[in-house]
Amino acid sequence: MNVFLGYGMVVLFFAGVLLTLYVHRRRDADFTDYAVGGRSFGSGYQTMSILNTWFPGSVFIADAGLAAGSGVIGFHLLIYGLFAYVLMYLMSRRVWMWGDRYGLRTQSDLFGLRYGGTSSRTVPALIQALVNFPMTVLGMQAMGLIFYYISFGHLSYSQSVLAGVLVLVARQFWTVRMGMRGVVVTDFYQGMIAYVFGSILLVGLIVHLAVHGHGFARLPLERLTLPVDGGGSGGLYLFALTFTGSVGGWCLSGMFVRLFTADGVRSVKRSAVFVMPASLVFSGLLLTAALLSGTLPGVSDNPDRALFTLGQHIGGPWIVIAIALCVLAAQIGMADGVLQSVGTLISNDLVAVYRPLDDKGRLLAAKVSIGVYTVASALVANVGLSNLITLSIMAYQGVVQLAVPQFLGLFWKRGNRTGTVAGTVAGFCTAAGLSAAYPTSIPWLAGLTSGIVGMALNLAVYVACAYLFPQGAEEKRRVSELFAATAVSGTRAAPGRTAAAPPGPTQA
């Protein structure tokens, strides 16, 4: 009976997704409309869309597991999120105005506009296509955990992974059809379940734990203390986690494109302000519930399943199903955003750069790319390759290398294409190489991660190239015009009008 109840709730969840898509269905006017949802969403949609991307289903599993197993060090999720929203607020004006004025659709488009040439677009695009793959596979495998628990023993874990992957693949039919508009509107629906209902559920779980003698007083002291040595990884480990978490989120294509979907700078800034307290409440409740659950029998054996173990401890199928639905809603939102952004990026910044395509051709290439990427991820997820978690960690340490040219390029005029490409490649290769040997942290560097070391080299190369290969007069004028364009408000192109072309040369 419980298994039918669990699957019935999943069916109802997806019925809500389809209803949301049906109500908001609209034919895209062109490829830009498909890629960024027509830049038409206000701060409410933006806020929920950012939450549904920033907090994937893995936060209910991996991040909650860190708090349950290791204590308050897991609260770095809360801290680096707040720093990330400050960065969002600071860069929102220039990113959105450049995107609207010059018709930008992807993060790589922004790199191509700022630095000129094709290499400054294709290198970031290749990195995104590579690093998002293991993360997508892990997301699909996380779906298996959801179906494992709502089957109440009727499916093995491998069968549950297959069921979860099939459901996620089926969902991508509408992602392919509706593009970013469909992703954003369903983000709102999914976000209400994952973070609004989820927060209410977490309050209930915390109260239950406290009432039944599993409060803070029962936790061992080491769980409530930040280790001075970073938990045995080195004193700078917590700093490295927080810093790379803050800047790294905005280096992921699925997150960055959210800045282009807003209907104006004000909406982006307001959503940055709104998402701060929402994130603080949700992540605070999640980590607190996970931290307190660490005293329950069985949690220390498998902390990644802390919330599900807590649900089983309370008893009754409804709590387990409710937790599973929250994880499902969060994971579906993350997967949709990543797959749509990567498909658009492959079409726009890899295929169309070397083979000119009209809007119809770009749309077809994007849809085919999403389909191929989804199927490839599904196949690998079901094969169950080992070391995927290590590959995912390496991927994140690699993608944060885009932070150097991205953030410096937004606020410093001197950086150039040579430094961008050379620095990013050097940083990415360094981070990947060190991650293979030290997937978590580097003990002989006081716990710094491979991503931090790569960023340091990346920054050195970027700055050195800025002074060793100074911009010519034409390039300096082009960059100055770009920065001057964001000093003037009201630059949005009228509906139906093609945005202005980027100033100056764009060929490598």
Side-chain angles (χ1 to χ4, degrees):
M1 178 65 183
N2 288 344
V3 65
F4 292 109
L5 180 62
Y7 291 142
M9 293 304 294
V10 171
V11 170
L12 286 177
F13 166 79
F14 278 104
V17 171
L18 295 181
L19 178 62
T20 303
L21 290 169
Y22 177 79
V23 170
H24 291 88
R25 72 191 188 281
R26 171 182 162 184
R27 179 180 291 275
D28 294 313
D30 52 27
F31 182 66
T32 299
D33 209 25
Y34 179 84
V36 296
R39 307 186 207 277
S40 59
F41 294 98
S43 56
Y45 276 102
Q46 285 293 108
T47 299
M48 202 63 81
S49 182
I50 290 165
L51 284 172
N52 209 193
T53 310
W54 190 260
F55 293 115
S58 61
V59 302
F60 291 87
I61 300 170
D63 292 275
L66 180 60
S70 302
V72 293
I73 192 172
F75 280 71
H76 78 283
L77 169 70
L78 184 153
I79 299 169
Y80 78 67
L82 296 180
F83 283 129
Y85 307 137
V86 172
L87 286 176
M88 174 185 172
Y89 187 90
L90 293 175
M91 68 179 178
S92 60
R93 179 178 179 83
R94 187 154 288 149
V95 170
W96 191 89
M97 291 185 72
W98 280 354
D100 184 61
R101 185 180 182 88
Y102 302 112
L104 306 184
R105 301 146 173 158
T106 65
Q107 179 191 38
S108 294
D109 255 352
L110 181 78
F111 278 73
L113 173 72
R114 168 60 181 85
Y115 296 107
T118 55
S119 58
S120 62
R121 290 178 64 187
T122 55
V123 169
L126 282 170
I127 289 175
Q128 290 287 1
L130 287 172
V131 303
N132 276 293
F133 189 78
M135 294 180 181
T136 303
V137 173
L138 282 173
M140 289 186 171
Q141 291 183 335
M143 292 282 289
L145 195 61
I146 301 168
F147 281 82
Y148 175 75
Y149 275 99
I150 64 172
S151 74
F152 294 94
H154 286 78
L155 295 179
S156 67
Y157 180 69
S158 59
Q159 291 172 329
S160 300
V161 170
L162 177 60
V165 168
L166 290 176
V167 168
L168 195 57
V169 169
R171 167 66 180 91
Q172 298 319 303
F173 172 78
W174 287 276
T175 301
V176 170
R177 288 194 63 188
M178 294 187 65
M180 186 53 72
R181 189 182 308 278
V183 171
V184 174
V185 297
T186 52
D187 276 344
F188 194 92
Y189 165 75
Q190 290 155 180
M192 291 296 292
I193 295 174
Y195 315 113
V196 177
F197 171 72
S199 293
I200 296 171
L201 175 64
L202 289 166
V203 169
L205 295 178
I206 293 169
V207 170
H208 176 89
L209 286 166
V211 169
H212 289 81
H214 294 277
F216 290 101
R218 191 165 176 177
L219 289 168
L221 183 60
E222 59 269 20
R223 297 273 183 93
L224 297 172
T225 308
L226 284 175
V228 295
D229 64 347
S233 301
L236 295 177
Y237 180 55
L238 184 57
F239 159 76
L241 283 179
T242 303
F243 183 77
T244 54
S246 297
V247 301
W250 294 111
C251 296
L252 293 168
S253 60
M255 192 71 186
F256 192 88
V257 74
R258 307 300 185 179
L259 300 176
F260 289 147
T261 60
D263 59 9
V265 175
R266 185 183 180 190
S267 289
V268 182
K269 289 191 172 185
R270 290 183 67 186
S271 63
V273 173
F274 293 157
V275 81
M276 285 184 185
S279 172
L280 185 67
V281 169
F282 167 73
S283 58
L285 291 172
L286 172 68
L287 297 170
T288 300
L291 178 67
L292 296 179
S293 73
T295 59
L296 292 174
V299 170
S300 59
D301 298 331
N302 202 334
D304 284 349
R305 302 186 182 188
L307 294 181
F308 287 104
T309 302
L310 172 56
Q312 290 178 323
H313 179 81
I314 294 174
W318 283 105
I319 302 298
V320 173
I321 293 171
I323 293 170
L325 285 177
C326 291
V327 181
L328 177 64
Q331 189 58 41
I332 289 288
M334 178 268 187
D336 292 346
V338 168
L339 290 168
Q340 198 281 335
S341 67
V342 170
T344 301
L345 182 144
I346 291 172
S347 170
N348 188 72
D349 303 304
L350 293 176
V351 177
V353 164
Y354 296 104
R355 181 176 180 179
L357 299 172
D358 58 14
D359 265 7
K360 186 176 180 180
R362 288 177 191 248
L363 276 168
L364 178 61
K367 292 178 179 181
V368 170
S369 298
I370 294 172
V372 171
Y373 205 85
T374 301
V375 171
S377 301
L379 291 174
V380 174
N382 281 288
V383 169
L385 293 180
S386 61
N387 299 323
L388 269 175
I389 186 63
T390 301
L391 285 175
S392 181
I393 293 171
M394 291 171 63
Y396 194 83
Q397 301 303 325
V399 79
V400 297
Q401 304 311 312
L402 297 178
V404 173
Q406 177 170 287
F407 290 107
L408 286 184
L410 287 171
F411 301 106
W412 191 42
K413 296 180 183 180
R414 189 180 283 270
N416 57 41
R417 180 167 69 250
T418 302
T420 294
V421 175
T424 300
V425 171
F428 183 84
C429 293
T430 300
L434 286 173
S435 290
Y438 306 101
T440 303
S441 64
I442 306 172
W444 47 271
L445 286 178
L448 289 178
T449 59
S450 58
I452 293 288
V453 178
M455 288 179 71
L457 176 61
N458 188 349
L459 177 63
V461 173
Y462 183 92
V463 174
C465 288
Y467 288 98
L468 292 174
F469 308 104
Q471 298 168 345
E474 178 63 21
E475 178 67 1
K476 188 177 293 186
R477 180 194 64 79
R478 187 185 74 85
V479 173
S480 294
E481 288 183 5
L482 279 177
F483 277 77
T486 60
V488 180
S489 60
T491 59
R492 177 159 191 163
R497 185 168 63 86
T498 303
T506 59
Q507 297 303 311

